[in-house]
Amino acid sequence: MRRRTEILVLVFCLATATTAFASTVTYDHRAIVIDGKRRVLVSGSIHYPRSTPEMWPDLIQKSKDGGLDMIETYVFWSSHEPFRNQYNFEGRNDLVKFVKLVAAAGLYVHLRIGPYVCAEWNYGGFPLWLHFIPGIKFRTDNEPFKAEMQRFTAKIVDMMKQEKLYASQGGPIILSQIENEYGNIDSAYGAAAKSYIKWAADMAVSLDTGVPWVMCQQSDAPDPIINTCNGFYCDQFTPNSEKKPKMWTENWSGWFLSFGGAVPHRPAEDLAFAVARFYQRGGTFQNYYMYHGGTNFGRTSGGPFIATSYDYDAPIDEYGLARQPKWGHLRDVHKAIKLCEEALIATDPTISSLGSNLEAAVYKTGSVCSAFLANVDPKSDATVKFNGNSYHLPAWSVSILPDCKNVALNTAKINSMTVIPSFMHESLNTNADSTDSSKSTLLLIKSDYLWYSLSMDIKGDEPFLQDGSQTVLHVESLGHALHAFINGKLAGSGTGNSNNVKVKVDIPITVVPGKNTIDFLSVTVGLQNYGAFFDLSGAGVTGPVKLNGLNNGSSIDLSSQQWKYQVGLKGEDSGLPSGSSSQWISRSGLPKNRPLIWYKTNFDAPTGNNPVALDLTGMGKGEAWVNGQSIGRYWPAYIAPNGGCTDYCNYRGAYSPSKCHKNCGKPSQQLYHVPRSWLKPSGNILVLFEELGGDPTQIAFATRQTGSLCSHVSESHPLPVDMWGSDSKTGRASNPILSISCPSPNQVISTIKFASYGTPLGSCGSFSHGRCSSAKARSIVHEACVGSTSCSIGVSTRTFGDPCKGIKKSLAVEVSCA
């Protein structure tokens, strides 16, 4: 009955989530105004198709717990209308359910309809059939395109209205977006760009949603559309009208991963600095892109070469768990900013210089006063005087003073704990089935694969041959990967990369006198999703295709020969991904290192409730399905460059996607998320299509575990921001506090791996004692923490004694939970 009760409660919440009174949403030069009151808003992006409906409630709740007021999402046209006038709003595409769940949690929604979304999504979110409409030109003043764009936008708006999901109807949607980052590339479209943007704005407003519309990165967005900023930093952004608020629709919390690239990482201190700087300099709305990145299931990733993981180094990781310390530190930043809300919405900031690269912003009206003190120098700490008091400002940091006197938070000083994740592996049953794959016998509408085939007669005395059989096959392709077969055998392959998608190969081959066959398998790894005229980028073999002599310079051009074309693979046609086809062959010994081969095996779900990943070590490139659902493309054979990663990431100074890389010299992606909701306790089916050749006996499942939990707090840290409401005379004068809590309520702290009070060195997982260390630290921490779900310890000499007088000290702790 308990399970049934929970389901009934959820259904009731969904049914009643939008029965609130209608709200009036407007804006002025300072902020979004809801029911006549300006609001300071913190938002985060969660893309509903990149997670599962079973994950949505927890993701939304973690967002709320992290201090968000709003969830922002794109609307993915290609997922909702894969074929013209055939719609899909089920499962991961159930937009209405997602919006209602956000409402049930008490959060607002920003619906970014686009319908161009970029988002590292295949073809920028446009359905492929759109390309074939006669006379169409994307994203310009073109009647066929505008007609389709308006039809889909109106459909989404009508759906939301029918469910009463706009704030004007009592729903959660308080903002909508039309178009997306068009200003970055509109110059390429000439005069037609301006008329197109005006049309898009007028069309959106005419849909009468009752809430404001925005255009991001569009400096000429016509009234009443709000133009907004996207980027790593937007504190210097100014809207195009004094009547519009300063809004940041994409604060990039990290960066996307590409196959062949290292793993991007944006430090929590830098992200917090960017957020605080934005509110310091007059902003009142910012959104994290992404707050939860998720997974590019199936063939949804774009790029090309965007990886299946869309983790984005976001505050909530790909598996739905809080990434610490980023999630916790940003939660504290949000709390500190909300302590300033009364002042922020009342007036504009007064900004003054405190010295070179030092700045104060004061919001003061009557007796209400809040201040932000910033040190934007990327190297040097500073001590500043403000309102008669001294404040230490680390380099590249902002201190937030909700009362213009006491520091609630400094962005460079993290009070939140750090969590080191680990994965526990379970071997996979290797009694698998296999079957070969070849060219499709049917014409598929959508596939990553296209065959080019040529049959030709070759004489032994051809001038481009050496010894009657040796020559070099030269092929050029627009991308993204290519496999060449001569007389049915793989002769060679080539691949592009995220910087240059084109493929050019010269493959030494051997032919036979008489009839020979040449087959190319051209492979896409996500279609282009960004840039002017991105829809015309194309892919596949365009030529020239030649047979070149080894030494004498002679050649024959095969480009104009009568090639045949077939879309897709035989296995795709015959339903192999479902695992139910009759074409599988059971073998005790699995074929290894064979290209174009399918594998199938049965497995039991890993025990417990921890998130699950498939470790595809040993495999080359392909796609994987679990119980008929595609977990995405895999490519562990594509190794990131050896250079460019560092053990220590300096958060100071402007961030860029090339800074703070991880995982150099290793597969760009080795682990592939398998949602728990896709698994049964037993009898699950795993199907792989292996393109290059690999060893399936190395495949394993892994469950996401918590390895170590750490915290490192100095005597100069502010009190936890949660204690701001404590007594002003005693609470704020207290010492800093180190807190650690197990991630699950049914866990307790079981082991103290490290504890040092004094001058500890290193970071979580590699702490060491410095020259000064209290002998009592480990026993004090053990007594306070072991056996408890959480513990808090004062960082002071009163707790640990003074192991080194006159030296600033800190407490570093590493524990594990069980």
Side-chain angles (χ1 to χ4, degrees):
M1 284 300 295
R2 182 179 181 183
R3 179 182 294 271
R4 181 174 297 177
T5 302
E6 290 171 348
I7 293 174
L8 288 172
V9 169
L10 174 60
V11 172
F12 176 77
C13 288
L14 289 177
T16 61
T18 60
T19 58
F21 295 109
S23 295
T24 300
V25 184
T26 58
Y27 63 83
D28 61 18
H29 82 287
R30 281 298 296 132
I32 296 295
V33 179
I34 303 176
D35 291 333
K37 183 180 179 181
R38 291 173 177 169
R39 293 293 306 274
V40 171
L41 295 170
V42 181
S43 174
S45 292
I46 298 176
H47 294 161
Y48 52 95
R50 283 175 159 145
S51 53
T52 64
E54 292 78 9
M55 294 173 67
W56 293 344
D58 186 63
L59 294 174
I60 294 165
Q61 186 60 48
K62 281 189 172 74
S63 302
K64 184 176 182 178
D65 294 343
L68 299 196
D69 305 293
M70 178 185 298
I71 300 299
E72 182 179 284
T73 185
Y74 282 127
V75 177
F76 296 85
W77 190 358
S78 58
S79 293
H80 292 305
E81 195 178 3
F83 304 97
R84 196 177 187 191
N85 295 317
Q86 296 182 29
Y87 295 100
N88 180 1
F89 289 95
E90 299 177 352
R92 298 200 321 275
N93 297 316
D94 193 341
L95 174 60
V96 167
K97 180 177 181 177
F98 180 76
V99 172
K100 287 185 175 182
L101 284 169
V102 176
L107 301 180
Y108 296 120
V109 172
H110 179 191
L111 196 65
R112 305 177 75 187
I113 299 176
Y116 165 71
V117 299
C118 183
E120 291 72 58
W121 193 266
N122 191 56
Y123 214 41
F126 285 142
L128 296 181
W129 55 259
L130 196 67
H131 178 84
F132 300 100
I133 290 179
I136 199 165
K137 294 182 180 178
F138 287 12
R139 304 179 75 196
T140 188
D141 195 354
N142 171 265
E143 294 304 323
F145 176 76
K146 291 191 298 182
E148 293 298 327
M149 175 174 168
Q150 181 168 357
R151 181 181 61 82
F152 180 74
T153 303
K155 180 175 182 63
I156 296 300
V157 169
D158 288 345
M159 284 184 66
M160 299 301 106
K161 285 183 176 180
Q162 288 170 14
E163 299 290 337
K164 300 189 184 309
L165 294 177
Y166 282 104
S168 55
Q169 304 170 292
I173 303 173
I174 64 169
L175 288 171
S176 285
Q177 179 177 301
I178 196 70
E179 250 298 337
N180 186 51
E181 295 187 326
Y182 190 64
N184 292 349
I185 49 92
D186 59 4
S187 61
Y189 295 87
K194 291 189 177 297
S195 54
Y196 165 64
I197 281 298
K198 184 179 185 309
W199 168 85
D202 291 343
M203 182 269 290
V205 172
S206 73
L207 295 175
D208 193 25
T209 62
V211 302
W213 288 83
V214 307
M215 283 183 173
C216 62
Q217 296 294 92
Q218 195 67 45
S219 60
D220 61 349
D223 294 342
I225 308 293
I226 307 170
N227 67 304
T228 67
C229 182
N230 292 355
F232 290 115
Y233 309 93
C234 281
D235 49 282
Q236 301 300 315
F237 169 74
T238 302
N240 64 11
S241 167
E242 294 181 353
K243 298 179 181 179
K244 299 176 183 179
K246 181 173 179 173
M247 296 176 60
W248 190 0
T249 37
E250 289 189 16
N251 177 1
W252 301 327
S253 58
W255 201 242
F256 55 82
L257 173 66
S258 296
F259 284 126
V263 176
H265 165 62
R266 187 179 186 188
E269 298 95 328
D270 174 67
L271 185 54
F273 169 79
V275 172
R277 282 284 286 165
F278 181 72
Y279 289 101
Q280 173 191 349
R281 295 188 63 88
T284 52
F285 172 98
Q286 79 94 31
N287 174 77
Y288 296 101
Y289 186 99
M290 303 292 297
Y291 199 74
H292 165 72
T295 306
N296 290 317
F297 296 114
R299 294 169 179 172
T300 58
S301 63
F305 294 96
I306 300 299
T308 295
S309 171
Y310 200 67
D311 180 86
Y312 221 89
D313 199 36
I316 301 176
D317 71 16
E318 179 178 7
Y319 300 92
L321 303 178
R323 171 173 277 109
Q324 299 283 28
K326 184 172 281 188
W327 182 90
H329 190 42
L330 293 176
R331 174 201 57 197
D332 292 345
V333 172
H334 305 153
K335 289 179 179 179
I337 289 169
K338 287 305 182 80
L339 290 171
C340 306
E341 182 169 16
E342 185 178 358
L344 288 171
I345 63 175
T347 184
D348 295 309
T350 299
I351 298 175
S352 59
S353 173
L354 300 176
S356 178
N357 291 323
L358 301 167
E359 185 178 275
V362 177
Y363 294 85
K364 182 173 175 55
T365 175
S367 62
V368 177
C369 184
S370 294
F372 295 75
L373 308 182
N375 180 0
V376 299
D377 192 287
K379 295 181 180 179
S380 301
D381 293 3
T383 299
V384 300
K385 286 282 188 180
F386 174 74
N387 283 354
N389 297 311
S390 292
Y391 298 89
H392 176 73
L393 295 176
W396 206 253
S397 77
V398 177
S399 283
I400 301 174
L401 289 62
D403 60 359
C404 282
K405 182 179 179 181
N406 295 286
V407 176
L409 179 139
N410 178 273
T411 58
K413 296 180 179 180
I414 295 178
N415 268 321
S416 178
M417 66 180 182
T418 296
V419 176
I420 298 180
S422 64
F423 284 87
M424 182 177 293
H425 285 70
E426 298 182 17
S427 61
L428 186 67
N429 169 31
T430 56
N431 292 323
D433 302 337
S434 65
T435 185
D436 292 327
S437 184
S438 59
K439 288 174 281 188
S440 166
T441 56
L442 298 173
L443 182 65
L444 295 179
I445 299 295
K446 297 175 183 178
S447 176
D448 276 354
Y449 302 98
L450 174 63
W451 287 95
Y452 301 74
S453 300
L454 176 68
S455 178
M456 61 181 299
D457 289 320
I458 297 178
K459 298 178 181 179
D461 58 354
E462 298 280 6
F464 56 83
L465 294 180
Q466 180 173 315
D467 299 329
S469 62
Q470 306 297 310
T471 186
V472 174
L473 176 63
H474 174 86
V475 189
E476 295 185 24
S477 167
L478 292 178
H480 309 131
L482 176 76
H483 308 296
F485 297 81
I486 304 298
N487 296 324
K489 294 184 178 179
L490 180 64
S493 301
T495 184
N497 56 60
S498 58
N499 296 317
N500 181 12
V501 303
K502 295 182 178 180
V503 179
K504 182 187 291 187
V505 293
D506 290 283
I507 304 170
I509 62 171
T510 299
V511 297
V512 297
K515 184 178 180 180
N516 289 263
T517 58
I518 301 175
D519 295 295
F520 300 141
L521 181 58
S522 180
V523 186
T524 56
V525 192
L527 298 181
Q528 190 78 25
N529 61 260
Y530 180 76
F533 308 106
F534 76 86
D535 51 299
L536 304 179
S537 297
V541 179
T542 53
V545 177
K546 297 180 180 180
L547 295 178
N548 293 328
L550 293 176
N551 300 313
N552 59 13
S554 62
S555 67
I556 179 173
D557 193 330
L558 306 179
S559 306
S560 59
Q561 299 286 325
Q562 292 296 310
W563 293 81
K564 295 181 180 179
Y565 309 93
Q566 287 185 325
V567 178
L569 304 168
K570 184 178 179 181
E572 292 177 306
D573 287 351
S574 56
L576 293 185
S578 69
S580 59
S581 171
S582 61
Q583 298 184 28
W584 294 103
I585 303 170
S586 296
R587 303 184 183 185
S588 56
L590 281 176
K592 299 179 182 179
N593 302 314
R594 289 264 301 274
L596 303 188
I597 189 169
W598 295 77
Y599 296 102
K600 184 189 83 167
T601 190
N602 297 323
F603 68 95
D604 295 338
T607 56
N609 296 313
N610 289 327
V612 177
L614 185 63
D615 186 335
L616 287 165
T617 297
M619 302 304 288
K621 177 183 182 297
E623 189 171 352
W625 294 262
V626 171
N627 294 331
Q629 305 228 50
S630 174
I631 64 172
R633 301 181 181 101
Y634 67 81
W635 202 348
Y638 212 156
I639 307 298
N642 287 315
C645 292
T646 58
D647 293 332
Y648 169 71
C649 174
N650 185 355
Y651 71 87
R652 302 168 182 86
Y655 180 77
S656 70
S658 61
K659 184 179 180 181
C660 298
H661 279 173
K662 297 179 176 181
N663 215 48
C664 290
K666 299 178 181 179
S668 298
Q669 184 175 353
Q670 178 178 328
L671 297 168
Y672 295 80
H673 180 210
V674 181
R676 273 280 180 186
S677 60
W678 292 4
L679 298 176
K680 303 175 290 185
S682 61
N684 299 284
I685 299 174
L686 171 66
V687 174
L688 303 175
F689 170 64
E690 173 55 47
E691 189 180 308
L692 302 177
D695 181 0
T697 63
Q698 296 186 44
I699 296 173
F701 278 96
T703 53
R704 168 75 154 69
Q705 312 278 338
T706 297
S708 290
L709 293 82
C710 305
S711 188
H712 190 183
V713 175
S714 72
E715 293 175 325
S716 65
H717 272 59
L719 272 175
V721 70
D722 286 338
M723 298 184 66
W724 180 262
S726 61
D727 185 86
S728 60
K729 292 183 179 179
T730 59
R732 294 181 201 159
S734 300
N735 298 107
I737 294 174
L738 180 148
S739 297
I740 286 183
S741 60
C742 294
S744 173
N746 62 355
Q747 292 180 317
V748 296
I749 298 169
S750 57
T751 305
I752 307 300
K753 294 183 175 180
F754 180 87
S756 177
Y757 175 74
T759 57
L761 306 173
S763 57
C764 188
S766 60
F767 284 133
S768 63
H769 294 282
R771 297 180 64 181
C772 157
S773 182
S774 169
K776 301 185 293 182
R778 191 179 190 95
S779 61
I780 291 173
V781 173
H782 185 278
E783 183 178 351
C785 298
V786 170
S788 300
T789 300
S790 62
C791 61
S792 297
I793 305 168
V795 182
S796 71
T797 55
R798 286 183 294 178
T799 305
F800 296 97
D802 194 343
C804 42
K805 296 183 183 299
I807 295 176
K808 290 183 178 179
K809 290 168 280 291
S810 64
L811 172 63
V813 174
E814 179 178 352
V815 307
S816 60
C817 294

